[in-house]
Amino acid sequence: MPRALVTGIDGQDGRYLAELLVAKGYETFGMIRGQNNPRGQIVRDENPAVELIEGDLQDLSSLIAVVEQVQPDEVYNLGAVSFVALSFRQPELTADITGLGVLRMLEAIRVVGGTQNNRIRFYQASSSEMFGKVRQTPQTEETPFHPRSPYGAAKVFGHYTTVNYRESYGLHATSGILFNHESPRRGLEFVTRKVSNGVARIKLGLQEKVTLGTLETARDWGFAGDYVEAMWLMLQEDEPDDYVIATGETHTIRELLELAFAAAGIDGWEKYVESDQRFMRPAEVDILTGDATKARERLGWKPRVSFSELVTMMVEADLEEEAHRAR
Ligand code: NAP
């Protein structure tokens, strides 16, 4: 049985990836931080086959102990401070976890793996936020980076550290440059879920308005379930590499709102949405569009869920969850 270790197991992607790995017959270990972290229970309930193991990306000795204990064939490094707005408020913490955390995990693999360190395959969760103020459209693996947030800058560090460990030590280290991906498991702080949850609550009479920053921001949004499949496919390749994962389609927050309110059967969405300066960032990333040609040609990967299907899926899930909570 192959063995996989996933950091960030209780995050959106960790939960989908755990399901995929267990279904593929992996002995799956999820790293969880803190003492008796309550989010571990979500993973246990959803997926009892996953074994949870304590560790923290801020603590190298814990990572060495985890890698030694698990003896993984594949490591998926999904753990991070992943919310751009928070990274502006806590930049040092973001640099430490989202940036240096990658270096610590690679060091743990190098130290434990010894001369056979390319035996352990490593996946780094890189991000389209590295492109930031975009230099070309659409963005490919060759597009220069110009991050616009402490999160983006930390991800650039993690990306190049991954490339560096591949080139310096022969590690099987791959960087997946994933564009935004969402699901009913997305955290409530992220705009897509804030909208789907807000719309559900308005429909049920539990809330009056959704308050957002700019509505013109445009993103290439896909479904998280499709994107974790791309992560797994990348690590099945004999040679480690970098891959852009995206739909190639761009939609604005305005379009997201139109679709979400329509999915709940609410007309005239404008009267339920207000804008607040507090949600504007010191530097915005206006538009991102990915070109996943390399992933399609080499890995045979393509997204299955369309943007409108994704928005409908999220609104329906929030309607069910909020109605259940209100009962
Ligand atoms: P998420 O839901 O925010 O999950 C982040 C995970 O990181 C959580 O499990 C969190 O654990 C963990 N974590 C935070 N600090 C940690 C630490 N010090 N040590 C160990 N784990 C720690 O994020 P996601 O959407 O699943 O994304 C997964 C990864 O892909 C992240 O690295 C993200 O930056 C990257 N990414 C995401 C997207 C996207 O659109 N979703 C796009 C590109 C890249 P706690 O529950 O304990 O906080």
Side-chain angles (χ1 to χ4, degrees), residues 288-300:
L288 293 171
T289 315
D291 177 352
T293 304
K294 182 171 164 183
R296 193 171 57 245
E297 289 177 353
R298 297 240 195 112
L299 310 175

Side-chain angles (χ1 to χ4, degrees), residues 7-16 31-34 37 39-40 55-59 62-63 77-83 93 96-98 101 104 123-129 151 155 176-182 185-187 189-190 220-222 224 227-228 231 245:
T7 72
I9 191 79
D10 61 8
Q12 170 188 256
D13 290 6
R15 289 163 62 192
Y16 282 104
M31 195 179 87
I32 189 138
R33 64 172 170 162
N37 184 336
R39 281 163 58 97
D56 196 308
L57 287 167
Q58 290 183 284
D59 182 344
S62 77
L63 300 180
N77 186 39
L78 311 184
V81 170
S82 72
F83 187 43
L93 184 77
D96 196 35
I97 299 175
T98 306
R104 293 190 191 102
Y123 172 83
Q124 168 55 17
S126 292
S127 164
S128 54
E129 290 291 320
Y151 170 77
K155 284 289 183 189
I177 306 172
L178 271 54
F179 282 60
N180 290 63
H181 44 280
E182 319 295 315
R185 294 173 179 171
R186 191 60 145 149
E189 65 277 32
F190 292 90
D220 179 331
W221 275 300
Y227 284 43
V228 298
M231 297 176 190
I245 300 297

Side-chain angles (χ1 to χ4, degrees), residues 181-186 191-200 219-224 249-265 305-319:
H181 44 280
E182 319 295 315
S183 74
R185 294 173 179 171
R186 191 60 145 149
V191 68
T192 48
R193 183 75 197 289
K194 188 172 174 182
V195 166
S196 66
N197 185 261
V199 166
R219 288 287 180 276
D220 179 331
W221 275 300
F223 170 52
E249 267 182 43
T250 296
H251 300 275
T252 59
I253 293 174
R254 189 176 289 279
E255 288 173 74
L256 165 68
L257 286 161
E258 280 165 12
L259 281 170
F261 277 94
V305 176
S306 72
F307 181 62
S308 67
E309 287 167 342
L310 172 65
V311 176
T312 304
M313 177 202 302
M314 291 178 69
V315 171
E316 284 175 354
D318 271 316
L319 275 168

